Structures are given as structure tokens and as C-alpha cells.
Amino acid sequence: MAKDIKRVSAQQRKDYMRVYGNRKKSSLHDTYAEKADKPFLEVKDLEVIYTSNKQIVKAVNGVSFQLKRGESLALVGETGAGKTTICRSILRILADPPAKMTGGDIWMDGVNLTDLSEEEMLEVRGAKIAMIFQDPMTALNPSMQVGKQIIEGLMLHNDYTPAQAEERAKEMFEMVGIAPNRMVEYPFEFSGGMKQRVVIAMALACNPVVLLADEPTTALDVTIQAQVMDLIRELRNKLNTAMVLVTHDLGVVAQNCDNVAIVYSGQIIEYGSKESIFLHPTHPYTIGLFGALPNMNDNSERLTPIAGTMPDPTRLPDGCAFAPRCPHATDACRTGVIPEKEIAPGHKIRCIMRDKEA
Amino acid sequence: MFKFVVNRLLYTVLVLIAVGFVIFTLLYLSPDNPAQFKLGNTASASDIEYLNHLWGLDRPYLVQLWDFMYHAFIRFDFGDSWQYSAPIWPELFSRIPRTLLINLLALLMNAPIGIFLGIFAGLHGGKWQDSVVMIICMILVSVPGFWLALMCISLFCVKLGWLPVFGIETWKGYVLPIITGALGGIAMNARQVRSAILEVFREDYITTARAKGVPEHTVTYSHMLPNALMPIITSFSGAIAHLIGGSAITENIFSIPGVGSYMLTASQTRDYPVVRATAVFMCAFTTLVMLVTDLVYGFIDPRIKAAYASGKRK
């Protein structure tokens, strides 16, 4: 095992040189220790639109966040808020058309991913940044042995011989708790939870630095959910992988994430450490989200939902996108751009009303 | 796997017997008078009666049916042609290789070309390349095969003089029958592959493959194509039936002495034993090719392969 890690890291150094070696970036000379404290992945002012029937859907409107090595960030929000789109644009695997990234930069380790050519991106996908998808039932190729699907990625990103790749794939299978002799089986021979384990093994096989987990447990039942999240946490600790976790589930967030970003209509409307968000939710939408959670110590018969639905993304309102549903909204909320304000160290919101109160 | 093949072969035999029964009955029920056909309009009633007796047509239906079934499926003897008063087998035998050659080559041509065109159109979905391929395919599918064959003859054989108008003295005689036989299938396959590719294109596992850093051409050939092929192979057997049915017309147009033209002439002259023999042969050929496509299907789709190898499943 130790030998293996050494080999992989040597390989990663080589990959690094191959992809970034000819770029004049100071990051190349940074020491590892220096880098550990700097943001490793930085998304700046990301904007993505979808075009359908000549209508423009603004899916992501100026999202920025940072991630250090080994850190984890949760993107929380309703369906359609743009969380999955954010993840896919980091890997640049948006289906184009209809989706198009119209603005923003994605910096990884001193390199702007939006500047890379498609060939250079191939070296990043799966090797540096890996993704786990929402639905394990459809995320695996039904006509390919699951082992081959892992080996395929390993062979692309490492100088393995086929035998070495198979060995490594076996290791990954053991790591996620599947007997290696099942590598020759096809996805239809696995249950949903097992498939998700395969997907996780596939994502982590090349020791990625960033893991994008797009609702990895939504399609699974509760007991399997816990197992899968434990597995991801364990492997991340082992490999020091940073993670962007997309989820609706605040319980999963509490257990797995350092920072939380609340996403609404393609914007991060509240961002902060897990503690600050959970203990001091400030944006009316965030407060609404927590109000919609059942509480064991509370005897209330009904939960409080957030009234209304998300605004039509083809016709986003002026000002705050949440204003139409917000109990505190005033005329000032409905005009202009709502700026981001830091209300406590590291805790930012986009809300002019709460911002005044605080 | 072995068990599956044996089962399918037994099944094929049952299908052939059923076909024999249906063909015989339909011909029995037809109001035509084969003896009249053979002897012409001036034939006397006693001559007709004599021929009917000679051919056994004056016996009851069940006796005739048994006689045919017994000879065809147990003795493998289809009897003599009424028109030529000669045994059918040698004649049929000499014609089979030509029909097989034309049909198999047409099949071998239409699968790869159709699949390639379909992938090409599917990957360029909505762009001009797609439209061009699809318009050509639409024309090929909708134009009747015999008209296309005649147009090809007038262009390549009459105008350009590259190929013989009829006959099979040289290999050149086979070129047009094969191509015109394949064109319709190519168009059908291309359309099917295109829609399958477009469907597979947005599947989650394609995104997974891309997220792994798999280059686009590998995504196409090792992730999209095998999955897109599954529905195509099913439709392929339909194309085979179409092709074999069409070979009667193709062979007739190109004057090729094959099974198809044998059948067509026989049905024009009410030569029932020949019609029955050729129908059973064509049916056997079709079911065998379908068996092969089913086996290929199992090779591509792991779920079906697992079903073949049942017993080994965990």
C-alpha cells in the first residue's frame, strides 16, 4: 500500500508537470506546505445560462467560493437552484448546447481551468477533480463490466500496465467493501447501494484532490445513505480530498461539511462555516429552510414550509430573487443588485434587511 | 449457451412445420386450377382430371396435407415440379448459393455502412451533416426497391456500360443486385442507429465517462455504441426478413436464377410444389439468420448473456 501511494504521487507529479509545466505560474514553485493553507479550488463569479426555445434560463448568476485542501463545502438549496450546474461547470462537462458558461473563472492550484484546452481538461477530469453522480442506477455503463469502468479511468491517468491497473481497481473495490471477484460483473447485477459504492470507487481511484459529490445519497435509502457517507468521509480522510457536496439534506451537511453555501436561484445567498450557519442562520431563506426541518424537541404539529416557489429562471426579478417569498421584503429589496455583506468573520449573506438588523 | 442454441433450433423446426402447414393450406384453398394452367385453355376435362389425379389433387385435404408434410419434413423431399416434371431439389440446390451470396453480402454491406452513417448523423445531431444523411436515407427508404434497381440498370448498365444488364456470367453481374438489395437496409439501419445514438447521448453514464476524463472518441465507441446497438440488432432481424422477401423482386429484375426468381416464376405458373419448397427454404434461412442476430445480441447485452448462461448466476 505504501509503495502504491508513492507510485501514485510520483505519477501525479508527472501529470502536474505535463499539464502545468509549460505555464508561467508561480504556483509551480510553491511548496506543499504553503499551498495547504491557500484555497486550492476557487470559483469566481461563475455564470451559466441554458438556452431552450430561444429562451434564456439564467441557471447560475455569479457564484464564488473557495476550497482548501481536504476541506468540504456543502451546496444546499432547492431543486433547480443550480447546484448540479455549478459542479458540472467546474469539470466543464455541461451539455453544450443547451448549457453555456458565460462568465467567471475556475482556478485550481494556480491554473484557470476555463483557459485549458479540451485535451488538457481530460487530464484534470477524473485525475484531479472527480465527480460522484446523483443516481447510481444510471451512472454506470450497463454494457461494461464494473471493473473495466474503473480500470478505464486508471489507465487514462496513470502509467499503469493493465495488470497494475487491475490490482489498483481491486484495492479500490476492497476499500469500498465489495468483493474484488465481482469486478467482472455488470451493473445490473448490483443493488443501488453497491452501484453507488462502485461509483465512489471509480471517482476516488485516481486520488483526486477535489471530489464533487452531487447528491450522492439522494437515490438511496436511509441506512445505505449513512454507509455511503461514512465511506466517502473515510476515503477522503485517507486521501486528503476536498469535497463539494450537493445536497438537500441538512443532516448530511452537519455530519460531513466544514462550510455551507445556501444556493437560491443560482446565487449563493448565505455562506459561512457549518457552525455559523446552523447556529445563526441569518438570511430569511436559510431561516425558512431550518423552519422546514422537523425538530425532536418541538411539539408543533406542522412544519413551516417556505411559501411560494422559486422564481421562473427565465424571468428573474430585479433585486433579491427571494423577495417575492420573503416576509421581510421591502421596496429596496426589489431594485438593484443585492451586495454580499460579511456579517461575522467568514459569514456572508446577500440580504439588505437582515444585514441592517445585524 | 449450448442449451439456448439447441432450444432455438428446435423452435426453428416448429416454425418451419407451421410455415409448411400454412403455405400448403393457403395454396389448397386458392381457387386456381394448376392443371388448367399447365395444359392451357383448350385442355379437355378428362386431361385436367388426369393431371389432378396424377398430382394427387383429387384426394381429401387431410390426406394431401399428410402426404406433403411427411415427404417434406421427414423424407426431405419436396417432390417434382409440376411445370417441368423434374425433381425440385437439384434445381433448388443449384440456385441456393446465388441467393445466399447476394443476401449475405447485402447484409454484410448494410450493417457497417448503416451503422457508420447513423453514428455520423447522431453525433452531428441537428447540424447540416445530420440533415444531409437523413434526407438521403429518407429517400432510400421511401423509394421502392424495384424502381431503384431499374434506375441503377439504366445508369450503370445502359448509359455507362460498366456492368452487364443481366446474367451472372462474371462477378460484375452480382454488383448491382447486392447494392440495390443493401441500400434500403443501409437507410433503415442509419435511421435507427441515429435515433439510438441521440437517445444514448444524454444518458448519465456518458456524463460519468466524460467526468472520468475519457476522450470523446472513446466515449463514442466504447460507451455510446454498445448501448446504442442493442435496440438496433432487434430491428436488424426485421431488415433481414425485408431483404429476403425483396430478393424475389431483385432477382427477377436482374434475371438472376436464384431462389427468389424460382419462387416468383413458380407462383406465376401455379407450380405449387416449387412454391412450397422455396417458401420453406426462405423461412429456414430467415430464422437461422435471426438466430445468429440473437446470439450476437447476447454477446453485446450482458443481461441476455447472463440469461443464456443461467445456472451459473449467483
Side-chain angles (χ1 to χ4, degrees), chain A residues 15-25 28 108-109 111 113 116 124 128:
Chain A
D15 277 350
Y16 186 88
M17 289 302 292
R18 191 165 56 200
V19 179
Y20 312 120
N22 52 358
R23 283 164 195 279
K24 292 183 199 111
K25 296 283 185 212
L28 197 61
M108 190 191 72
D109 209 7
V111 177
L113 296 185
L116 294 184
V124 175
K128 304 249 156 221

Side-chain angles (χ1 to χ4, degrees), chain A residues 33-348:
Chain A
E34 256 181 290
K35 265 197 284 179
D37 225 29
K38 276 195 190 168
F40 185 79
L41 180 78
E42 192 173 2
V43 176
K44 265 189 192 164
D45 305 319
L46 180 68
E47 280 177 23
V48 180
I49 56 162
Y50 286 87
T51 325
S52 69
N53 294 334
K54 313 259 168 189
Q55 272 190 324
I56 290 174
V57 176
K58 290 183 174 170
V60 180
N61 309 303
V63 162
S64 306
F65 60 82
Q66 300 179 343
L67 210 61
K68 290 177 191 149
R69 276 195 86 97
E71 211 178 34
S72 62
L73 167 74
L75 297 180
V76 181
E78 282 170 77
T79 302
K83 301 162 298 195
T84 302
T85 308
I86 294 171
C87 285
R88 291 193 177 196
S89 30
I90 294 175
L91 268 182
R92 288 182 33 195
I93 50 170
L94 286 167
D96 177 15
K100 202 162 183 64
M101 197 174 142
T102 48
D105 297 312
I106 295 156
W107 291 87
M108 190 191 72
D109 209 7
V111 177
N112 191 344
L113 296 185
T114 54
D115 288 345
L116 294 184
S117 70
E118 190 55 27
E119 284 74 38
E120 288 169 315
M121 246 349 256
L122 292 179
E123 307 272 334
V124 175
R125 290 184 197 132
K128 304 249 156 221
I129 308 179
M131 189 156 173
I132 297 175
F133 293 90
Q134 183 170 357
D135 189 355
M137 295 304 179
T138 54
L140 293 170
N141 183 345
S143 66
M144 205 188 226
Q145 294 174 359
V146 288
K148 283 207 180 118
Q149 299 193 40
I150 295 184
I151 291 170
E152 185 181 35
L154 285 166
M155 293 294 288
L156 281 170
H157 300 300
N158 302 286
D159 280 339
Y160 286 158
T161 62
Q164 279 172 323
E166 199 181 328
E167 200 47 45
R168 171 78 183 144
K170 269 186 190 156
E171 241 167 57
M172 286 313 296
F173 258 66
E174 266 161 19
M175 236 188 255
V176 297
I178 306 176
N181 63 4
R182 298 198 61 183
M183 272 178 32
V184 293
E185 291 183 14
Y186 289 89
F188 75 95
E189 294 168 282
F190 287 80
S191 68
M194 288 293 234
K195 277 187 209 167
Q196 195 62 312
R197 281 159 188 263
V198 174
V199 172
I200 291 169
M202 205 154 82
L204 293 172
C206 295
N207 299 332
V209 218
V210 179
L211 178 67
L212 307 172
D214 183 5
E215 306 194 25
T217 56
T218 306
L220 306 173
D221 67 61
V222 183
T223 45
I224 307 295
Q225 272 183 22
Q227 285 176 16
V228 165
M229 285 318 297
D230 285 348
L231 180 68
I232 293 179
R233 188 166 44 228
E234 194 183 305
L235 294 175
R236 275 187 53 226
N237 287 341
K238 228 181 256 177
L239 309 167
N240 197 25
T241 305
M243 173 169 76
V244 176
L245 175 70
V246 171
T247 182
H248 307 285
D249 190 336
L250 291 166
V252 170
V253 175
Q255 282 175 9
N256 295 284
C257 296
D258 305 317
N259 293 314
V260 180
I262 310 287
V263 185
Y264 187 81
S265 276
Q267 276 191 328
I268 294 181
I269 49 139
E270 182 159 8
Y271 181 94
S273 67
K274 176 173 68 188
E275 289 76 17
S276 59
I277 299 274
F278 275 69
L279 299 177
H280 311 288
T282 310
H283 195 286
Y285 178 66
T286 317
I287 296 172
L289 276 186
F290 281 97
L293 275 185
N295 187 340
M296 288 228 294
N297 305 321
D298 197 1
N299 281 329
S300 57
E301 294 258 312
R302 282 174 175 276
L303 298 169
T304 333
I306 306 172
T309 54
M310 270 212 297
D312 178 356
T314 57
R315 281 176 280 121
L316 284 182
D318 270 349
C320 177
F322 187 59
R325 300 166 75 181
C326 180
H328 309 286
T330 62
D331 285 344
C333 296
R334 298 190 179 94
T335 47
V337 178
I338 309 296
E340 197 175 56
K341 265 277 175 70
E342 193 156 8
I343 52 165
H347 189 171
K348 299 177 208 163

Side-chain angles (χ1 to χ4, degrees), chain B residues 175-302:
Chain B
V175 174
L176 275 186
I178 290 170
I179 289 177
T180 50
L183 279 178
I186 288 175
M188 253 156 70
N189 275 336
R191 288 164 59 89
Q192 232 116 24
V193 173
R194 172 183 175 269
S195 64
I197 289 272
L198 285 179
E199 214 161 276
V200 168
F201 205 79
R202 299 251 180 264
E203 289 284 350
D204 286 350
Y205 52 82
I206 299 302
T207 316
T208 310
R210 293 209 176 102
K212 267 194 291 190
V214 178
E216 206 51 35
H217 64 268
T218 319
V219 171
T220 308
Y221 289 101
S222 67
H223 292 272
M224 282 188 200
L225 195 54
N227 293 299
L229 277 182
M230 291 180 198
I232 293 162
I233 291 169
T234 324
S235 73
F236 197 61
S237 25
I240 295 164
H242 186 80
L243 180 67
I244 291 168
S247 73
I249 295 164
T250 321
E251 284 174 8
N252 221 39
I253 288 174
F254 292 100
S255 320
I256 289 168
V259 181
S261 54
Y262 196 28
M263 182 193 232
L264 206 65
T265 337
S267 58
Q268 278 159 359
T269 55
R270 309 299 185 270
D271 198 347
Y272 291 174
V274 176
V275 175
R276 293 191 292 242
T278 47
V280 169
F281 164 77
M282 291 236 176
C283 173
F285 180 67
T286 312
T287 46
L288 282 179
V289 178
M290 281 181 178
L291 172 64
V292 173
T293 47
D294 274 4
L295 292 177
V296 172
Y297 196 42
F299 185 71
I300 289 177
D301 189 341

